[in-house]
Amino acid sequence: MLNLLDADKKEIECFFEAIGEKKFRAAQVQSWLYRGAMNFEEMTDLSKTLRRRLDEEVRKGTISLGGITRLAALSSSDKSTEKFLFGLSDGNAIETVLMRYKYGNSVCVSSQAGCRMGCVFCASTIGGLKRNLTPGEITAQVTAVLRHIKDEKGYSLSSKEERIGHIVIMGTGEPLDNFDNVKRFIEIVSDPHGLAVGLRNITVSTCGIVPMIGRFAEELPQVNLAISLHAPNNAVRSTLMPINRKYPIEVLMPACEDYVKKTGRRITFEYALAADRNDTEQQAEGLIRLLKRYFREKNGTAGLCHVNLIPLNKVEETGLEGSDRRKAETFCGLLTAAGVPATIRREMGADIHAACGQLRLSENNPDKTNI
Ligand code: SAH
């Protein structure tokens, strides 16, 4: 089966030649796919006969248009966040989130079905890793969300009114555990002739696979990097994130420092606040010391990094609770007062289980939630 979103133009040209069609059909079809087309019937500059023929090939399983189908969609009460559950051709399911900000549409995509990193607070890792997603399956999440927005607003597929401005690779999976496919995905979505998402508007989030951070800086220097830190020291971090035993903080931090030096870009640290685990004043002070050791600038602040604080989303299975608002504000205040840039991330989708992997879990266990 050839997933047309995985294939490059040459491969699609070969496909058309093999079925006795002209090569230029490849560019036409690709352009429709990037606009959010879901079947050939919608590709109105192809002849009716060809469209029918191609839809027949899809039914036969020779080709697919992205390889994902929508299983469920949920909207937060204020409509700012929507979460989608997509099925893959092999029966696995993945999640994608659309966040509508004042500055535009942002999509959070999954990079793997399941995850093998084992972070104790995270719902995505509970069933382990199923498999890597292909570049086309990651891209299809973006085009399906774009299509959803266009449909909702009644815009035609060719309308330029709505676009995806930002992408975060922060859904299920560890992107640096699937580096080649994620890199290819980034090339596809940033292509100016396609979805044209600026490289500077794409963020990859990692639990800290150190050898891949160097490669990331080399090969994707314009893309933003976020590190899931979640603790200021090894004693706490290793209890939350097993990867810390392989790449502890004294190995992770120099890699982050190198990234900043090589790319000249700011680095983000994600810090999910879990009540009584990593949210004390002492831990805030530990975090300040740690970040200043590696990111101190001449003016004394840690200006080349940013800490994204988020009260941990409660996942039934993990037994961990998020810190309350006051605790989060105190923690944030300590960091900023010491010259470590920090913000508390707005929680946009808690009412629709938008935390990592939660929708997939609740689909499997319908009695556990109110979906
Ligand atoms: N594997 C990558 C990207 C996917 S997870 C990574 O670890 O960064 C995306 C972010 O969500 C990470 O910062 C992760 O630690 C965080 N996360 C996972 N479960 C969470 C939860 N229950 N509450 C808050 N953040 C969570």
Side-chain angles (χ1 to χ4, degrees):
M1 155 113 67
L2 179 69
N3 179 344
L4 296 181
L5 273 179
D6 274 323
D8 61 21
K9 194 152 132 239
K10 282 224 167 63
E11 289 170 297
I12 307 181
E13 284 173 353
C14 284
F15 164 75
F16 275 109
E17 281 187 318
I19 64 164
E21 280 291 328
K22 295 275 185 313
K23 280 207 303 200
F24 71 87
R25 298 289 178 209
Q28 285 178 311
V29 166
Q30 269 193 320
S31 146
W32 281 109
L33 290 176
Y34 296 144
R35 281 178 261 168
M38 293 291 160
N39 57 55
F40 287 102
E41 200 45 50
E42 299 180 319
M43 304 186 186
T44 46
D45 54 1
L46 307 179
S47 75
K48 274 226 152 84
T49 336
L50 178 59
R51 281 188 256 164
R52 237 168 270 137
R53 158 109 204 252
L54 292 170
D55 276 329
E56 186 51 36
E57 296 291 336
V58 173
R59 269 189 295 276
K60 283 198 305 206
T62 18
I63 49 175
S64 76
L65 299 162
I68 67 172
T69 46
R70 190 158 118 183
L71 301 178
L74 288 174
S75 187
S76 64
S77 44
D78 67 355
K79 298 266 185 279
S80 65
T81 306
E82 278 171 275
K83 180 149 184 165
F84 303 87
L85 184 74
F86 293 111
L88 306 174
S89 51
D90 60 4
N92 283 307
I94 52 166
E95 296 171 30
T96 308
V97 180
L98 162 66
M99 290 152 290
R100 298 171 207 252
Y101 293 106
K102 281 196 203 79
Y103 58 75
N105 298 313
S106 177
V107 178
C108 172
V109 296
S110 293
S111 55
Q112 296 179 314
C115 182
R116 61 187 178 124
M117 296 301 144
C119 300
V120 301
F121 47 80
C122 180
S124 291
T125 198
I126 289 172
L129 176 67
K130 304 293 185 210
R131 68 169 170 88
N132 284 332
L133 298 186
T134 68
E137 288 168 331
I138 312 175
T139 308
Q141 299 170 55
V142 179
T143 54
V145 170
L146 177 63
R147 174 57 185 269
H148 166 78
I149 299 170
K150 286 180 175 175
D151 282 352
E152 195 186 60
K153 299 240 164 126
Y155 294 138
S156 76
L157 279 191
S158 303
S159 158
K160 299 233 173 357
E161 291 287 333
E162 287 280 351
R163 56 187 301 275
I164 304 300
H166 291 75
I167 294 177
V168 293
I169 307 171
M170 282 193 193
T172 298
E174 169 48 50
L176 298 191
D177 192 33
N178 185 18
F179 184 84
D180 291 332
N181 289 355
V182 166
K183 182 180 171 191
R184 176 77 195 115
F185 158 72
I186 290 172
E187 286 164 0
I188 295 172
V189 291
S190 61
D191 185 331
H193 302 297
L195 288 151
V197 181
L199 291 170
R200 291 188 161 78
N201 293 341
I202 300 177
T203 300
V204 167
S205 178
T206 177
C207 64
I209 302 188
V210 167
M212 301 311 289
I213 295 175
R215 234 187 115 186
F216 183 84
E218 275 309 314
E219 298 178 33
L220 296 165
Q222 291 175 293
V223 175
N224 302 302
L225 183 63
I227 305 284
S228 297
L229 188 60
H230 304 319
N233 56 51
N234 289 329
V236 179
R237 194 167 191 262
S238 290
T239 64
L240 296 173
M241 306 176 70
I243 192 75
N244 195 65
R245 288 182 219 129
K246 193 158 183 198
Y247 304 116
I249 289 183
E250 65 278 11
V251 173
L252 174 61
M253 283 298 153
C256 295
E257 189 184 17
D258 274 356
Y259 166 85
V260 170
K261 283 201 181 125
K262 258 193 215 146
T263 62
R265 302 184 69 71
R266 238 185 189 207
I267 191 164
T268 300
F269 292 100
E270 316 266 357
Y271 198 105
L273 291 160
D276 306 323
R277 286 294 283 269
N278 63 1
D279 67 346
T280 64
E281 291 189 17
Q282 239 179 354
Q283 280 156 325
E285 274 146 23
L287 185 60
I288 293 165
R289 276 196 302 278
L290 178 70
L291 295 180
K292 283 206 167 167
R293 185 168 343 135
Y294 291 97
F295 301 101
R296 185 192 288 276
E297 293 190 288
K298 285 203 188 75
N299 65 9
T301 68
L304 286 173
C305 70
H306 184 95
V307 180
N308 239 336
L309 297 165
I310 175 166
L312 188 95
N313 279 302
K314 188 175 174 180
V315 177
E316 212 59 48
E317 290 82 346
T318 66
L320 291 170
E321 298 266 355
S323 311
D324 62 37
R325 189 79 207 170
R326 208 176 44 82
K327 243 338 194 344
E329 274 162 14
T330 308
F331 200 95
C332 189
L334 287 168
L335 297 188
T336 49
V340 175
T343 42
I344 302 178
R345 204 199 297 164
R346 204 148 49 99
E347 279 177 281
M348 289 174 70
D351 62 333
I352 55 166
H353 302 273
C356 246
Q358 293 186 12
L359 181 60
R360 187 173 58 92
L361 283 183
S362 54
E363 276 287 308
N364 294 340
N365 308 287
D367 49 319
K368 275 211 171 134
T369 70
N370 56 4
I371 293 174

